[in-house]
Amino acid sequence: MAWDSDIGENWGIAMTLLDKPLTVEGIMEQFQAFTRRFGFFGSFYSESVHRGVDFSEWLRSHLEGLEDRGWVVREGENYALTEKGRESAGKALAGVEKTRDRLAGIATPENASKLTLIVHLLL
């Protein structure tokens, strides 16, 4: 598995475990709810979204990789973040929140009005 290209997906999975350990099914529910907060309302259970792999198989594969990285440990049916995983997920979440705040500062009614006027003049 190419971890460098999939790091964003791994951070997303790790961020779902910040509050508490979860089962695979719990992670699936939290992952979908978490991604909806950022505007992704599509079905994450679709094989086409995950390179032709069933979502639960895709998730289990990534959880194994996260275990190999030392980010996650399996406790019975639950997966929990290690200290290393908690640190990485916390940094990722802070980055996402920082980006969201920047975009919120740009996406103001005043800026929307200016952009609308510019586009109208150009047309």
Side-chain angles (χ1 to χ4, degrees):
M1 178 171 287
W3 285 103
D4 292 338
S5 65
D6 292 337
I7 196 71
E9 294 171 338
N10 290 310
W11 275 337
I13 295 167
M15 284 187 277
T16 65
L17 295 170
L18 276 169
D19 290 336
K20 63 183 179 182
L22 295 168
T23 63
V24 170
E25 291 76 20
I27 294 169
M28 288 171 64
E29 290 171 13
Q30 288 291 75
F31 190 74
Q32 188 167 28
F34 180 79
T35 55
R36 284 184 177 186
R37 283 193 250 171
F38 299 101
F40 301 105
F41 294 98
S43 172
F44 282 89
Y45 301 111
S46 167
E47 290 185 17
S48 63
V49 173
H50 298 284
R51 300 179 190 109
V53 178
D54 176 71
F55 182 78
S56 62
E57 290 177 31
W58 174 89
L59 179 58
R60 289 176 199 279
S61 168
H62 276 58
L63 286 167
E64 288 175 14
L66 288 170
E67 283 184 279
D68 293 344
R69 288 181 83 98
W71 287 18
V72 171
V73 291
R74 187 170 181 183
E75 300 169 345
E77 294 295 315
N78 289 324
Y79 289 87
L81 290 175
T82 63
E83 192 57 40
K84 181 179 178 181
R86 186 164 296 286
E87 181 181 329
S88 296
K91 286 179 184 177
L93 185 57
V96 167
E97 289 172 345
K98 185 176 180 180
T99 300
R100 181 194 63 204
D101 292 344
R102 278 192 204 143
L103 291 175
I106 294 170
T108 63
E110 181 181 316
N111 286 340
S113 295
K114 288 177 185 176
L115 181 60
T116 301
L117 180 61
I118 291 169
V119 169
H120 181 71
L121 291 172
L122 289 174
L123 292 175

